[in-house]
């Protein structure tokens, strides 16, 4: 549970509204602080929180990596990162205050003396910055280092609270394992050093405004829940389409593929939020219990059914926005004979009372013609047709657009004005920009997640059993694919996957959503 503290506003500032709780005093140690994530996401998010008055004045960031940086160099790099990734110049007075909280300590992640130095530096920060012994350890390193860092924190007893009211928390970046074995092994390691209540596993999709809004939409509006089930919903489509290729991640991606990079984690998280039962109360454990039940109810796809219920693709050379782009096999650090998938579709069933018989189609790919993340609830048709041409109308669709063009729309049939009873589809549309003002600040997912980690709210973080359950389900599919390694269909970059992708859904007399 979150700790309630009150923090006085800065001089001349308007106090925060009651529902905005600022973080308590704490020191955040970022392992891998010289890396890309820290530069692009973590520091800009912390700065935004500070500017919004949501970070305590008694905060400290302690960057910890091998690179020999001074505090000054770390601060300069932080300043550049904030300007580059927030796209605005940093207000000098706020930067002067904020930067005093940024510190850096070079060290090795597997070396006990480095952890002794870390302990000493944290004690100094407690004294200088009044961080009260509260610690958040953020693992922003390559994932193969998560185990050793966690174990070393435990051996150095840095996992223990400094005082009765204090806290020590561990935030772990993705990916959490690359299969069931590695995820279980990592969970065992983490839970040897830390109690599960101290652990915050990041899935940054859960920090997105639009994903949280799915929860608000479902749980705060009485009209949708009664129709949110097999009786009214024909099927659900989840799409995560990217126009980009593998960029500089070729070496990593070629080992992982689209399924493990996006579907097994982000898309299953979206699916569980869309499909879960309302929790008894909106708190971390009841919410995560309900998400876990969805994962447990996901029908397994035995290896012999992967051919029927899944489809993989890989992009060849093509064009995006009229510009020629390379094939996947031609990307940097990708094996020239790679069979790694860059596109995947799946048909899933959730075997519970709410969803029995209602398929969920998942589609994810790189080098698609458009960037779109969307959840579309496709409702059943009206039981009887009265009007000419009605059968050609699309059935009602509730589309929740996660990005871009964030919002929600409901598609329905309307009479075209005129003397005949002619129908056409129209959309009722909610857009963040027009409803909350053009300058509405869609906080970056990391702002919300960092704040929640400091506040002690685990609702938007994945629990150990959720992670393992997702891998249990994914294992069958991976096994099926291993047995048919060459069964990957090619598609030109700039197409919506291989031609087979249309056949995959056509055979159920349904169509993919168009973007
Ligand atoms: N970058 C993103 O946008 C992004 C998005 C989502 C998730 N993530 C996750 O966030 C984590 C960090 O990603 P990143 O892109 O920031 O990674 P990165 O830039 O490759 O690495 C982070 C830091 O870890 C240290 N490091 C690397 N290899 C090491 C080794 N063998 N031994 C000790 N230290 C090593 C490096 O610092 P030193 O050399 O100074 O020690 C490096 O600056 C990863 O788990 C990634 O999957 C990243």
């Amino acid at each position: 549970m979150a700790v309630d503290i009150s923090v006085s506003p800065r001089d001349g500032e308007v106090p925060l509204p009651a529902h905005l709780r600022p973080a308590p005093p704490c020191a955040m140690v970022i392992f891998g602080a010289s890396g890309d994530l820290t530069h692009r996401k973590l520091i800009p998010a912390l700065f935004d929180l500070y500017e919004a008055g949501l970070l305590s004045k008694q905060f400290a960031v302690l960057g910890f990596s091998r690179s020999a940086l001074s505090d000054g160099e770390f601060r300069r790099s932080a300043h550049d990162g904030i300007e580059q990734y927030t796209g605005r110049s940093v207000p000098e007075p706020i930067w002067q205050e904020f930067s005093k909280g940024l510190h850096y300590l070079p060290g090795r992640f597997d070396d006990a003396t480095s952890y002794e130095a870390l302990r000493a530096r944290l004690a100094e920060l407690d004294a200088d910055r009044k961080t009260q012994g509260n610690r958040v350890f953020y693992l922003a390193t390559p994932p193969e280092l998560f185990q050793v860092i966690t174990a070393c924190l435990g051996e150095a007893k840095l996992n223990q609270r400094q005082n009765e009211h204090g806290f020590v928390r561990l935030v772990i970046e993705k990916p959490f394992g690359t299969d069931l074995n590695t995820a279980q092994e990592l969970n065992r390691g983490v839970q040897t050093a830390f109690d599960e209540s101290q652990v915050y596993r990041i899935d940054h999709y859960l920090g997105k405004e639009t994903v949280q809004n799915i929860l608000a939409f479902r749980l705060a509006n009485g009209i949708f829940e009664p129709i949110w089930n097999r009786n009214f919903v024909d099927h659900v489509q989840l799409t995560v389409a990217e126009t980009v290729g593998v960029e500089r991640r070729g070496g990593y991606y070629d080992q992982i593929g689209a399924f493990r990079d996006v579907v097994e984690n982000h898309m299953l998280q979206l699916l569980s939020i869309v499909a879960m039962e309302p929790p008894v109360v909106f708190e971390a454990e009841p919410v995560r219990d309900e998400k876990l039940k969805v994962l447990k109810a996901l029908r397994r796809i035995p290896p012999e059914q992967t051919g029927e219920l899944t489809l993989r693709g890989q992009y060849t050379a093509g064009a995006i926005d009229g510009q020629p782009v390379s094939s996947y096999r031609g990307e940097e650090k990708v094996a020239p004979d790679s069979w790694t998938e860059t596109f995947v579709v799946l048909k899933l069933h959730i075997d519970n009372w709410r969803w029995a018989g209602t398929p969920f189609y998942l589609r994810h790919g790189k080098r698609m013609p458009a960037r779109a993340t969307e959840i579309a609830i496709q409702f059943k048709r009206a039981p009887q047709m009265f009007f000419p041409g009605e059968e050609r109308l699309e059935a009602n669709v509730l589309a929740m657009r996660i990005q871009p063009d964030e919002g929600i729309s409901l598609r329905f049939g309307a009479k075209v004005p005129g003397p005949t009873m002619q129908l056409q589809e129209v959309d009722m549309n909610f857009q963040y920009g027009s409803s909350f003002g053009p300058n509405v600040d869609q906080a970056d997912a990391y702002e919300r997640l960092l704040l929640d980690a400091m506040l002690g709210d685990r609702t938007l973080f994945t629990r150990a059993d959720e992670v393992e359950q997702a891998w249990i389900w994914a294992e069958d599919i991976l096994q099926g694919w291993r047995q048919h390694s060459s069964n990957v269909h090619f598609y030109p970059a700039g197409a919506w996957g291989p031609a087979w992708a249309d056949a995959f859904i056509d055979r159920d007399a349904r169509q993919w959503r168009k973007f």
Side-chain angles (χ1 to χ4, degrees):
M1 285 298 293
V3 189
D4 234 334
I5 66 146
S6 57
V7 169
S8 321
R10 292 188 206 108
D11 293 344
E13 271 180 5
V14 182
L16 287 168
H19 64 277
L20 286 179
R21 280 191 308 149
C26 77
M28 181 174 289
V29 180
I30 304 181
F31 288 80
S34 60
D36 181 62
L37 183 74
T38 308
H39 190 65
R40 266 179 352 111
K41 293 286 183 189
L42 304 184
I43 296 288
L46 287 167
F47 181 76
D48 281 348
L49 288 173
Y50 189 79
E51 199 175 22
L54 290 168
L55 208 60
S56 166
K57 280 185 149 182
Q58 296 163 233
F59 89 98
V61 170
L62 181 57
F64 185 61
S65 330
R66 293 170 305 182
S67 302
L69 301 178
S70 64
D71 281 357
E73 286 167 321
F74 183 54
R75 287 173 188 172
R76 273 193 292 285
S77 155
H79 187 276
D80 293 349
I82 297 166
E83 291 212 324
Q84 193 177 346
Y85 294 106
T86 60
R88 60 196 174 92
S89 59
V90 177
E92 194 52 31
I94 299 181
W95 168 253
Q96 285 303 333
E97 280 181 31
F98 174 75
S99 60
K100 286 188 193 131
L102 301 184
H103 306 268
Y104 185 86
L105 178 72
R108 288 181 54 89
F109 297 150
D110 57 355
D111 165 33
T113 54
S114 292
Y115 288 81
E116 283 315 310
L118 180 59
R119 177 203 304 287
R121 195 80 181 86
L122 283 169
E124 283 168 19
L125 291 175
D126 278 340
D128 296 349
R129 303 281 307 168
K130 312 270 180 296
T131 42
Q132 300 183 358
N134 294 331
R135 317 266 189 259
V136 174
F137 294 110
Y138 196 118
L139 308 194
T141 65
E144 53 277 15
L145 300 172
F146 295 165
Q147 280 281 21
V148 67
I149 296 173
T150 312
C152 288
L153 284 170
E155 279 158 27
K157 304 216 173 348
L158 282 162
N159 53 350
Q160 295 175 2
R161 287 196 305 187
Q162 304 291 300
N163 56 64
E164 198 189 334
H165 303 292
F167 58 80
V168 177
R169 299 184 184 132
L170 181 73
V171 181
I172 308 182
E173 261 300 333
K174 73 162 261 195
F176 202 90
T178 52
D179 57 19
L180 180 59
N181 273 341
T182 50
Q184 284 176 328
E185 203 181 311
L186 184 51
N187 269 337
R188 272 196 297 276
V190 165
Q191 290 173 341
T192 302
F194 290 85
D195 187 80
E196 178 64 22
S197 65
Q198 297 176 284
V199 182
Y200 294 69
R201 294 174 193 78
I202 293 254
D203 186 312
H204 70 270
Y205 265 50
L206 297 183
K208 290 179 187 287
E209 280 290 344
T210 38
V211 173
Q212 291 160 47
N213 195 38
I214 301 170
L215 291 164
F217 184 81
R218 285 195 56 195
L219 305 179
N221 297 294
I223 60 170
F224 300 109
E225 212 46 35
I227 57 169
W228 208 262
N229 57 51
R230 61 193 296 269
N231 297 322
F232 294 88
V233 177
D234 175 72
H235 73 282
V236 179
Q237 284 189 33
L238 274 73
T239 306
V240 177
E242 300 171 3
T243 51
V244 293
V246 290
E247 299 175 298
R248 285 173 300 140
R249 300 168 69 219
Y252 169 76
Y253 194 90
D254 207 30
Q255 304 301 314
I256 293 294
F259 179 71
R260 287 191 279 184
D261 192 41
V262 169
V263 178
E264 185 277 338
N265 39 60
H266 304 317
M267 291 186 84
L268 284 195
Q269 284 295 321
L270 291 181
L271 173 97
S272 54
I273 286 178
V274 169
M276 73 180 201
E277 296 301 316
V280 178
V281 283
F282 195 75
E283 285 175 6
E285 297 319 320
V287 170
R288 300 194 299 179
D289 287 346
E290 296 306 335
K291 283 165 59 204
L292 177 66
K293 285 184 205 163
V294 174
L295 296 173
K296 285 189 171 173
L298 257 189
R299 191 182 298 169
R300 308 271 289 262
I301 298 181
E304 61 277 12
Q305 281 189 358
T306 46
E308 181 196 340
L309 298 175
T310 76
L311 181 106
R312 287 178 296 165
Q314 187 191 90
Y315 61 83
T316 55
I320 298 285
D321 291 333
Q323 298 300 315
V325 295
S326 138
S327 66
Y328 174 70
R329 291 177 174 189
E331 301 274 17
E332 208 180 308
K333 297 192 184 154
V334 168
D337 57 352
S338 170
W339 285 108
T340 299
E341 81 284 357
T342 60
F343 174 88
V344 59
V345 293
L346 301 104
K347 180 181 176 185
L348 309 183
H349 280 99
I350 300 174
D351 288 329
N352 62 17
W353 274 50
R354 185 186 283 265
W355 295 116
T358 304
F360 283 66
Y361 296 92
L362 273 51
R363 177 173 54 154
H364 163 58
K366 288 195 171 292
R367 291 294 190 209
M368 304 273 99
R371 173 173 168 254
T373 299
E374 186 203 70
I375 297 156
I377 314 290
Q378 307 247 350
F379 290 94
K380 292 185 176 174
R381 288 186 171 278
Q384 199 178 348
M385 296 193 192
F386 293 105
F387 307 111
E390 195 184 339
E391 68 286 354
R392 289 193 298 276
L393 274 191
E394 206 182 316
N396 300 134
V397 183
L398 182 81
M400 294 182 274
R401 297 184 300 275
I402 308 297
Q403 62 190 20
D405 189 22
E406 293 82 355
I408 298 177
S409 63
L410 178 64
R411 173 157 287 200
F412 56 94
K415 179 184 174 301
V416 179
T420 58
M421 202 60 189
Q422 198 194 332
L423 302 190
Q424 185 184 307
E425 296 102 350
V426 292
D427 287 324
M428 216 153 54
N429 217 347
F430 150 65
Q431 286 184 304
Y432 276 80
S434 44
S435 296
F436 296 121
N439 298 323
V440 62
D441 184 19
Q442 279 237 32
D444 185 88
Y446 278 95
E447 277 178 49
R448 173 66 194 257
L449 296 173
L450 285 169
L451 181 61
D452 281 1
M454 289 184 274
L455 286 168
D457 186 342
R458 297 191 304 278
T459 312
L460 300 177
F461 296 85
T462 36
R463 209 168 54 189
D465 49 5
E466 281 183 85
V467 170
E468 291 187 18
Q469 190 61 41
W471 278 120
I472 287 170
W473 172 83
E475 276 292 326
D476 294 334
I477 296 173
L478 292 170
Q479 196 188 328
W481 286 348
R482 272 194 294 273
Q483 289 166 8
H484 308 282
S485 65
S486 62
N487 208 357
V488 175
H489 305 272
F490 293 107
Y491 63 98
W496 285 104
W500 283 104
D502 285 339
F504 185 91
I505 195 164
D506 281 353
R507 68 183 180 203
D508 294 345
R510 297 180 175 115
Q511 273 96 47
W512 291 117
R513 297 268 302 155
K514 293 190 173 50
F515 297 95

